[in-house]
Amino acid sequence: MPREDAGPDFIEALARGLDVLKCFGSHRVPMSLTEIATATGLARPTARRIVLTLEHLGYVRSAPEGVVLTPRVLELGVAYTLSTGLWEVALPHLRDLVEQTDQAASVAELDGSDIIYVARVEVPKVVAVNVKVGTRLPATSTALGKVLLASLDADALGTALRMEPRSPVRPHQPKPVEEVEAELREVRARGWASTDGEVAPGIRSVAAPLRDGDGRTVAAVNITAIAAEVGPAELVEDLLPLLLQATGAIGRDYELIHAAPQRSVRRS
């Protein structure tokens, strides 16, 4: 069945192929054709044709135990990362921030009403937050998301707040839209956001915008801490200044790279 919100130019076959690739992210691999069909809501013959196509293109491989992804799928994510250069720019600064704070640090971008993590540096700990690159979380319940939402104009913000989140995670402390809008006005005025147990109990976070040379917010950077290790006052008084230094440094390096002349690469 065609998707309800799709226009006349929507290519359903392409969307189904992407659905098949994405279903591997939330299931154990290898997957059987029946499992793929169930996970995507596709008929088994349709799932089989898509798998055969993806196998021909080199993105999946069929084995006796089932279907598995191949390393070639990394090209899809790497193409995005390299097109912005954000990961390469942010990584050394995130590592420095993690070393200074002994807490995990991340970069995220806004996608509708969700945030998507595009870079992250962890800290080996017994208790840790299970977040990796590509993870989606509801924007209104995260410090990263609040910073990104606060950067939108009124029309774009209204659209984002009306959208259904695609993240499977639901807020631990849901709030009415009016309260969210009031909080975003405060975030916009002070330039940073913090959360305390809004996505998951016992998790605190502080985030700040990552801006380009024109002052536009292109992403957000955060520090995530376990509540038992870092109190609310320490989060703002001790960790926030280090976070602001890091976002400033990432923004400056990001602008230098994008301002530099781009050289074309000749392939032999």
Side-chain angles (χ1 to χ4, degrees):
M1 293 292 292
R3 308 188 187 214
E4 293 181 358
D5 58 347
D9 297 323
F10 187 84
I11 303 176
E12 184 65 34
L14 176 59
R16 290 175 176 176
L18 294 174
D19 286 342
V20 169
L21 288 176
K22 290 189 293 184
C23 81
F24 285 88
S26 56
H27 291 76
R28 296 181 62 183
V29 292
M31 295 179 68
S32 68
L33 280 175
T34 300
E35 289 173 328
I36 292 172
T38 300
T40 57
L42 298 172
R44 193 176 185 279
T46 302
R48 177 180 176 274
R49 290 196 299 272
I50 292 173
V51 166
L52 289 174
T53 301
L54 292 172
E55 186 170 16
H56 179 76
L57 295 173
Y59 292 111
V60 302
R61 175 174 55 83
S62 295
E65 62 272 17
V67 180
V68 296
L69 297 177
T70 71
R72 188 168 187 178
V73 299
L74 293 173
E75 293 177 356
L76 303 175
V78 168
Y80 167 76
T81 301
L82 293 180
S83 70
T84 63
L86 188 57
W87 168 242
E88 289 84 354
V89 173
L91 181 58
H93 297 289
L94 290 183
R95 285 174 173 163
D96 289 344
L97 185 60
V98 168
E99 185 175 351
Q100 290 175 311
T101 64
D102 195 34
Q103 305 297 334
S106 309
V107 178
E109 296 182 358
L110 191 65
D111 183 23
S113 59
D114 295 336
I115 60 165
I116 299 180
Y117 285 79
V118 297
R120 183 166 174 84
V121 176
E122 293 276 6
V123 179
K125 293 188 177 184
V126 175
V127 179
V129 182
N130 185 22
V131 171
K132 57 184 180 296
V133 172
T135 294
R136 283 180 174 269
L137 290 177
T140 57
S141 299
T142 63
L144 288 163
K146 291 175 183 180
V147 164
L148 294 169
L149 289 171
S151 71
L152 301 177
D153 61 34
D155 291 340
L157 177 59
T159 299
L161 293 180
R162 287 192 298 270
M163 293 180 67
E164 281 294 321
R166 294 168 59 193
S167 168
V169 178
R170 289 297 174 260
H172 180 65
Q173 299 174 1
K175 298 177 181 179
V177 173
E178 296 77 10
E179 186 174 343
V180 171
E181 291 175 335
E183 187 172 7
L184 293 179
R185 286 193 291 271
E186 295 181 8
V187 171
R188 192 176 300 114
R190 71 189 180 198
W192 55 271
S194 64
T195 55
D196 191 348
E198 293 186 31
V199 172
I203 304 300
R204 293 192 173 110
S205 179
V206 62
L210 176 58
R211 296 187 173 96
D212 62 15
D214 297 322
R216 293 172 298 199
T217 298
V218 295
V221 185
N222 84 332
I223 296 172
T224 303
I226 304 300
E229 298 180 358
V230 178
E234 182 182 354
L235 189 73
V236 174
E237 295 172 7
D238 298 338
L239 301 190
L240 176 60
L242 298 173
L243 174 65
L244 294 175
Q245 291 175 15
T247 56
I250 295 171
R252 287 189 294 273
D253 286 355
Y254 185 70
E255 178 59 21
L256 286 173
I257 288 177
H258 279 257
Q262 301 298 311
R263 295 182 299 174
S264 60
V265 178
R266 180 177 297 176
R267 297 182 182 273
S268 57

